[in-house]
C-alpha cells in the first residue's frame, strides 16, 4: 500500500486507523437529506450536465453529495457508472469518513477546501479503483450544502478534474447567490406593489418616453382607468392629463400638490395631484411619479387638523325648567330628523351648545361639524368662505366650508348677514345638493345638514330683505331656546354646575352661599348663560375664599339680593332639593340610565331612587347619556 503524501490525507488515514475501520468493509448507505436539496438539485444537475457536455471524451461521472456526504445524484459516462455500481457505489451510499474511509468528498466537506484522491490514497478498498476530485458547495450565507465531485477510473483520472469541479462549484455558488438576490428583489417588489395598492393615494409612474410603467389600483377608483390595459401604454392615450400635469412631465419639473381637474370617462373629476421627477445617480432621467388623492381624503384631513368635531351632547345642557324641557324636546325631535334646523334665542343662551348636541345625537354624529359666523366675515369674502374658489393654471383651488362639511353639519351663525345673492346661492346648494365654487362652473356634490341662527328673520322676510323660500328651507325644524331670566331655578342649577367646574379647573373647592344664590336667581341676566359664566369665573379668580357671598358679587347683581326672612326659609330647602335633583341626574347618566347602578352610586336603595325621581319629575329619558 502506498504511503499518502498530502497532510489532509495523512490525518484522515490516522483517524481511520484510530477508530479501527476495516479497509475491506463494504459500502454503507447513509441518511439521505433532501430537505435542503429539493429545489437545488435541478440547478446542480443542469450545471453538471453542461460540464459533462463540454468535454470531448468525458470518461467520468459527476457525483452530488449532501452535507453528510451521502450520494444523492449521479450522471455521466455509462461505462464508469457501470463500474461504480459493481463496487456498490450509487444513490444513497455514504462517503463519510466513518464508513467510507479517506476520500476526496469527505475531505472537501471536512476541510471546506477542494480536494482529490486516487487509487490507494483511498483507505477502503472498494474506492481504490477510482479517482475522486471534489469541491464543497456553499450557500450564499456560507453554510455548507454538500459537495460536487468527479468520479473516474484511477488509471484514467482526468487531468483537469479538480479545476473543473472547482469551477462548477463556484458557478453553482454564484447561481445560488444570483437566485437569492433575485428572490429578494422580487420579494421587495411584491412588498412595494402591495404597499402601493393599500395606501389611499393613487400613484402613476410615467417612463422617460411618457409611457405608463406602473400604476396602483387606487388610480382605477380615482380616475376610472383600467389598470391592466393601461400598463405600458402612453399616458396621453389612456387619459388626457391636466395642463399643469402635462407641463410638469414635459419640463421634467416638480409640481407641488394642488387640486386639478381630470377629464375622466365619467366626467370631470377634481383630484389633488403632485408630480415628482426621478433621477438615477448619474442624473439620468428615469421618469416621473404622479400622486393622486381624492378631494374627500383631503376634506377628512382638514377636518381632523382644524378639529371639526362637536364636543357637547344633550347631557351637557343643564336645566330642568319647563321652558328648557320644551326646548330639549324640540332639539331631540330635530336631531332625529333630516331637514335644516333654525335655533332661535337671545345672544348667550347657548345656541352653539344646542347645535353640537343635536349633531352628536343625529345620524351624522360621525361627520364633521363646521362653524361659520357670517357676521364675523367681510361680506365680500363670504362667497369664497362658503362656496370655495375654483383653481386655475396659476392658482390652486380651495374648498369652501360647504365642501368641508360634507357628510356632517354646517352651523351658520347670524345668517341674516348674508346678502340676497348669497342667500340665493345657499338656497341652490340646499335644494340641489351641489355647490359651484366661486369662479367655476363645475358642480360638486355635497351632503350637508344646515343648522342656522339669525336675528329677526321673520321680520326680514316680511320686509323683503331675506328670501322667504330660503327661510322656509332653513326652518324645517325650529328650536326656541328660552332666555335665562325665564328659566327660574335653572339659574341655581347652572350656578352650582359652573362652580363645580371652576373648582376643578382652579384646583380648590368653592361654593356659593344661599344669599348669593338668591341674588343670582333674581337678577335678569341680559347676557344670559354667557354672562353668568363670566361673572362666576371672575368671582372665583378674584377671591381666595371657599364660600362666595353677596359681597363678592358685582354691584349690579348684588342689588337684587333679597334678605333671608323667616318666610323665605323654604328657598334654602328648595336649593337643597335642586342640588339633590342634579346629583340624581348625574348619577343616572353616569350609569347609562340603569337605575340599579345609579342607586348604588348614590348610596340609596332602588325604591328610594324611584320615590325621588317621582318627586322631582325625573324620567328615565332624562338619564339617557
Amino acid at each position: 500500500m502506498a504511503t499518502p503524501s498530502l497532510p489532509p490525507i495523512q490525518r484522515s488515514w490516522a483517524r481511520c486507523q484510530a477508530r479501527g475501520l476495516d479497509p475491506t468493509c463494504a459500502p454503507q448507505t447513509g441518511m439521505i437529506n433532501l430537505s435542503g436539496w429539493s429545489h437545488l438539485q435541478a440547478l446542480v444537475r443542469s450545471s453538471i450536465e453542461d460540464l459533462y457536455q463540454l468535454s470531448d471524451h468525458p470518461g467520468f461521472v459527476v457525483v452530488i453529495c449532501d452535507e453528510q456526504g451521502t450520494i444523492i445524484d449521479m450522471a455521466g459516462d455509462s461505462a464508469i457508472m457501470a463500474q461504480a455500481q459493481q463496487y456498490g457505489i450509487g444513490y444513497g451510499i455514504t462517503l463519510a469518513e466513518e464508513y467510507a474511509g479517506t476520500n476526496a468528498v469527505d475531505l472537501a466537506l471536512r476541510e471546506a477546501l477542494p480536494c482529490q484522491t486516487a487509487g490507494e490514497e483511498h483507505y477502503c478498498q472498494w474506492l481504490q479503483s477510482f479517482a475522486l476530485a471534489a469541491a464543497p458547495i456553499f450557500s450564499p450565507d456560507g453554510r455548507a450544502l454538500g459537495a460536487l465531485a468527479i468520479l473516474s477510473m484511477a488509471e484514467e483520472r482526468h487531468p483537469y478534474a479538480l479545476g473543473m469541479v472547482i469551477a462548477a462549484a463556484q458557478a453553482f455558488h454564484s447561481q445560488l447567490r444570483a437566485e437569492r438576490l433575485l428572490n429578494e428583489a422580487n420579494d421587495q417588489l411584491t412588498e412595494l406593489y402591495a404597499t402601493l395598492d393599500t395606501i389611499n393615494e393613487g400613484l402613476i409612474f410615467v417612463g422617460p418616453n411618457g409611457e405608463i410603467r406602473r400604476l396602483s389600483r387606487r388610480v382605477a377608483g380615482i380616475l376610472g382607468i383600467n389598470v391592466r390595459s393601461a400598463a405600458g401604454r402612453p399616458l396621453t392615450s389612456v387619459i388626457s392629463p391636466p395642463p399643469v400635469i402635462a407641463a410638469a412631465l414635459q419640463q421634467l419639473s416638480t409640481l407641488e400638490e394642488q387640486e386639478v381637474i381630470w377629464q375622466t370617462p365619467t366626467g370631470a373629476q377634481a383630484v389633488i395631484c403632485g408630480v415628482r421627477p426621478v433621477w438615477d445617480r448619474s442624473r439620468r432621467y428615469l421618469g416621473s411619479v404622479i400622486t393622486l388623492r381624492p378631494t374627500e381624503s383631503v376634506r377628512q384631513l382638514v377636518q381632523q387638523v382644524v378639529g371639526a368635531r362637536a364636543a357637547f351632547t344633550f347631557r351637557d345642557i343643564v336645566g330642568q325648567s319647563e321652558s328648557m324641557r320644551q326646548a330639549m324636546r324640540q332639539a331631540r325631535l330635530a336631531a332625529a330628523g333630516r331637514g335644516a334646523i333654525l335655533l332661535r334665542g337671545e345672544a348667550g343662551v347657548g345656541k352653539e351648545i344646542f347645535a353640537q348636541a343635536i349633531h352628536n345625537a343625529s345620524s351624522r354624529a360621525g361627520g364633521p361639524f363646521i362653524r361659520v359666523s357670517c357676521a364675523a366675515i367681510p361680506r365680500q369674502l363670504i362667497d369664497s368662505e362658503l362656496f370655495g374658489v375654483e383653481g386655475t393654471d396659476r392658482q390652486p383651488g380651495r374648498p369652501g366650508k360647504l365642501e368641508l362639511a360634507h357628510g356632517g353639519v354646517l352651523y351658520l351663525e347670524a345668517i341674516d348677514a348674508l346678502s340676497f345673492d348669497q342667500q340665493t346661492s345657499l338656497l341652490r346648494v340646499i335644494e340641489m345638493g351641489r355647490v359651484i365654487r366661486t369662479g367655476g362652473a363645475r358642480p360638486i356634490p355635497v351632503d350637508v345638514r344646515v343648522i342656522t341662527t339669525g336675528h329677526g328673520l321673520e321680520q326680514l322676510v316680511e320686509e323683503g330683505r331675506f328670501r322667504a323660500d330660503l327661510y322656509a328651507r332653513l326652518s324645517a325644524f325650529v328650536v326656541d331656546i328660552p332666555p335665562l331670566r325665564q328659566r327660574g331655578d335653572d339659574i341655581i342649577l347652572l350656578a352650582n354646575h359652573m362652580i363645580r367646574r371652576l373648582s376643578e379647573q382652579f384646583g380648590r373647592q368653592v361654593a356659593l352661599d344661599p344669599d348669593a344664590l338668591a341674588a343670582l336667581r333674581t337678577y335678569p341676566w341680559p347676557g344670559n348663560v354667557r354672562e353668568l359664566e363670566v361673572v362666576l369665573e371672575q368671582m372665583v379668580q378674584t377671591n381666595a375664599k371657599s364660600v362666595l357671598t353677596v359681597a363678592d358679587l358685582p354691584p349690579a347683581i348684588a342689588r337684587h339680593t333679597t334678605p333671608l326672612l323667616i318666610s323665605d326659609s323654604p328657598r334654602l330647602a328648595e336649593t337643597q332639593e335642586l342640588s339633590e335633583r342634579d346629583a340624581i341626574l348625574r348619577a343616572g347618566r353616569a350609569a347609562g340610565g340603569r337605575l340599579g347602578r345609579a342607586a348604588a352610586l348614590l348610596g340609596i336603595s332602588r325604591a328610594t331612587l324611584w320615590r325621588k325621581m317621582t318627586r322631582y319629575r325625573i324620567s328615565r329619558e332624562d338619564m339617557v347619556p
Side-chain angles (χ1 to χ4, degrees), residues 33-43 72:
N33 180 17
L34 290 179
S35 59
W37 281 89
S38 56
H39 68 290
L40 301 177
Q41 196 167 358
L43 294 177
I72 59 174

PDB file of all heavy atoms in Angstrom, residues 33-43 72:
ATOM      1  N   ASN A  33     -30.593  13.340   3.036  1.00  0.00           N
ATOM      2  CA  ASN A  33     -31.220  14.612   3.433  1.00  0.00           C
ATOM      3  C   ASN A  33     -31.535  15.422   2.184  1.00  0.00           C
ATOM      4  O   ASN A  33     -30.673  16.084   1.613  1.00  0.00           O
ATOM      5  CB  ASN A  33     -30.268  15.405   4.347  1.00  0.00           C
ATOM      6  CG  ASN A  33     -30.869  16.737   4.776  1.00  0.00           C
ATOM      7  OD1 ASN A  33     -32.063  16.949   4.664  1.00  0.00           O
ATOM      8  ND2 ASN A  33     -30.019  17.635   5.263  1.00  0.00           N
ATOM      9  N   LEU A  34     -32.780  15.335   1.748  1.00  0.00           N
ATOM     10  CA  LEU A  34     -33.197  16.068   0.553  1.00  0.00           C
ATOM     11  C   LEU A  34     -33.974  17.337   0.885  1.00  0.00           C
ATOM     12  O   LEU A  34     -34.423  18.042  -0.009  1.00  0.00           O
ATOM     13  CB  LEU A  34     -34.071  15.169  -0.336  1.00  0.00           C
ATOM     14  CG  LEU A  34     -33.344  14.015  -1.040  1.00  0.00           C
ATOM     15  CD1 LEU A  34     -34.340  13.204  -1.855  1.00  0.00           C
ATOM     16  CD2 LEU A  34     -32.229  14.530  -1.926  1.00  0.00           C
ATOM     17  N   SER A  35     -34.149  17.619   2.191  1.00  0.00           N
ATOM     18  CA  SER A  35     -34.963  18.783   2.561  1.00  0.00           C
ATOM     19  C   SER A  35     -34.371  20.088   2.026  1.00  0.00           C
ATOM     20  O   SER A  35     -35.090  20.978   1.578  1.00  0.00           O
ATOM     21  CB  SER A  35     -35.093  18.872   4.088  1.00  0.00           C
ATOM     22  OG  SER A  35     -33.811  18.989   4.686  1.00  0.00           O
ATOM     23  N   GLY A  36     -33.021  20.184   2.085  1.00  0.00           N
ATOM     24  CA  GLY A  36     -32.403  21.401   1.584  1.00  0.00           C
ATOM     25  C   GLY A  36     -32.042  21.334   0.119  1.00  0.00           C
ATOM     26  O   GLY A  36     -31.528  22.300  -0.444  1.00  0.00           O
ATOM     27  N   TRP A  37     -32.270  20.154  -0.521  1.00  0.00           N
ATOM     28  CA  TRP A  37     -31.864  19.977  -1.918  1.00  0.00           C
ATOM     29  C   TRP A  37     -33.030  19.882  -2.889  1.00  0.00           C
ATOM     30  O   TRP A  37     -32.815  19.777  -4.101  1.00  0.00           O
ATOM     31  CB  TRP A  37     -31.015  18.717  -2.044  1.00  0.00           C
ATOM     32  CG  TRP A  37     -29.603  18.941  -1.610  1.00  0.00           C
ATOM     33  CD1 TRP A  37     -29.095  18.811  -0.361  1.00  0.00           C
ATOM     34  CD2 TRP A  37     -28.534  19.372  -2.445  1.00  0.00           C
ATOM     35  NE1 TRP A  37     -27.770  19.128  -0.337  1.00  0.00           N
ATOM     36  CE2 TRP A  37     -27.378  19.475  -1.627  1.00  0.00           C
ATOM     37  CE3 TRP A  37     -28.410  19.680  -3.797  1.00  0.00           C
ATOM     38  CZ2 TRP A  37     -26.147  19.870  -2.111  1.00  0.00           C
ATOM     39  CZ3 TRP A  37     -27.175  20.066  -4.284  1.00  0.00           C
ATOM     40  CH2 TRP A  37     -26.064  20.164  -3.455  1.00  0.00           C
ATOM     41  N   SER A  38     -34.232  19.920  -2.374  1.00  0.00           N
ATOM     42  CA  SER A  38     -35.383  19.708  -3.254  1.00  0.00           C
ATOM     43  C   SER A  38     -35.432  20.714  -4.389  1.00  0.00           C
ATOM     44  O   SER A  38     -35.759  20.368  -5.522  1.00  0.00           O
ATOM     45  CB  SER A  38     -36.679  19.777  -2.437  1.00  0.00           C
ATOM     46  OG  SER A  38     -36.751  21.021  -1.754  1.00  0.00           O
ATOM     47  N   HIS A  39     -35.080  21.981  -4.110  1.00  0.00           N
ATOM     48  CA  HIS A  39     -35.131  22.992  -5.158  1.00  0.00           C
ATOM     49  C   HIS A  39     -33.743  23.283  -5.744  1.00  0.00           C
ATOM     50  O   HIS A  39     -33.610  23.992  -6.728  1.00  0.00           O
ATOM     51  CB  HIS A  39     -35.711  24.298  -4.616  1.00  0.00           C
ATOM     52  CG  HIS A  39     -34.834  24.993  -3.629  1.00  0.00           C
ATOM     53  ND1 HIS A  39     -34.617  24.500  -2.370  1.00  0.00           N
ATOM     54  CD2 HIS A  39     -34.098  26.137  -3.723  1.00  0.00           C
ATOM     55  CE1 HIS A  39     -33.794  25.303  -1.708  1.00  0.00           C
ATOM     56  NE2 HIS A  39     -33.459  26.297  -2.511  1.00  0.00           N
ATOM     57  N   LEU A  40     -32.668  22.694  -5.130  1.00  0.00           N
ATOM     58  CA  LEU A  40     -31.309  22.947  -5.602  1.00  0.00           C
ATOM     59  C   LEU A  40     -30.816  21.868  -6.561  1.00  0.00           C
ATOM     60  O   LEU A  40     -29.927  22.110  -7.370  1.00  0.00           O
ATOM     61  CB  LEU A  40     -30.347  23.031  -4.412  1.00  0.00           C
ATOM     62  CG  LEU A  40     -30.647  24.099  -3.362  1.00  0.00           C
ATOM     63  CD1 LEU A  40     -29.649  23.988  -2.222  1.00  0.00           C
ATOM     64  CD2 LEU A  40     -30.578  25.481  -3.989  1.00  0.00           C
ATOM     65  N   GLN A  41     -31.398  20.685  -6.451  1.00  0.00           N
ATOM     66  CA  GLN A  41     -30.885  19.556  -7.219  1.00  0.00           C
ATOM     67  C   GLN A  41     -30.991  19.805  -8.724  1.00  0.00           C
ATOM     68  O   GLN A  41     -30.091  19.466  -9.483  1.00  0.00           O
ATOM     69  CB  GLN A  41     -31.638  18.279  -6.842  1.00  0.00           C
ATOM     70  CG  GLN A  41     -30.937  17.008  -7.288  1.00  0.00           C
ATOM     71  CD  GLN A  41     -31.535  15.776  -6.624  1.00  0.00           C
ATOM     72  OE1 GLN A  41     -32.444  15.903  -5.808  1.00  0.00           O
ATOM     73  NE2 GLN A  41     -31.029  14.603  -6.979  1.00  0.00           N
ATOM     74  N   ALA A  42     -32.082  20.419  -9.143  1.00  0.00           N
ATOM     75  CA  ALA A  42     -32.252  20.694 -10.574  1.00  0.00           C
ATOM     76  C   ALA A  42     -31.192  21.686 -11.063  1.00  0.00           C
ATOM     77  O   ALA A  42     -30.668  21.541 -12.178  1.00  0.00           O
ATOM     78  CB  ALA A  42     -33.644  21.259 -10.834  1.00  0.00           C
ATOM     79  N   LEU A  43     -30.848  22.667 -10.222  1.00  0.00           N
ATOM     80  CA  LEU A  43     -29.825  23.634 -10.608  1.00  0.00           C
ATOM     81  C   LEU A  43     -28.461  22.953 -10.740  1.00  0.00           C
ATOM     82  O   LEU A  43     -27.715  23.195 -11.694  1.00  0.00           O
ATOM     83  CB  LEU A  43     -29.745  24.760  -9.573  1.00  0.00           C
ATOM     84  CG  LEU A  43     -30.968  25.662  -9.450  1.00  0.00           C
ATOM     85  CD1 LEU A  43     -30.755  26.674  -8.319  1.00  0.00           C
ATOM     86  CD2 LEU A  43     -31.233  26.393 -10.762  1.00  0.00           C
ATOM     87  N   ILE A  72     -26.562  11.718  -3.562  1.00  0.00           N
ATOM     88  CA  ILE A  72     -27.981  11.932  -3.853  1.00  0.00           C
ATOM     89  C   ILE A  72     -28.249  12.017  -5.356  1.00  0.00           C
ATOM     90  O   ILE A  72     -29.413  12.037  -5.775  1.00  0.00           O
ATOM     91  CB  ILE A  72     -28.504  13.215  -3.172  1.00  0.00           C
ATOM     92  CG1 ILE A  72     -27.734  14.443  -3.639  1.00  0.00           C
ATOM     93  CG2 ILE A  72     -28.452  13.094  -1.666  1.00  0.00           C
ATOM     94  CD1 ILE A  72     -28.296  15.743  -3.107  1.00  0.00           C
TER      95      ILE A  72
END
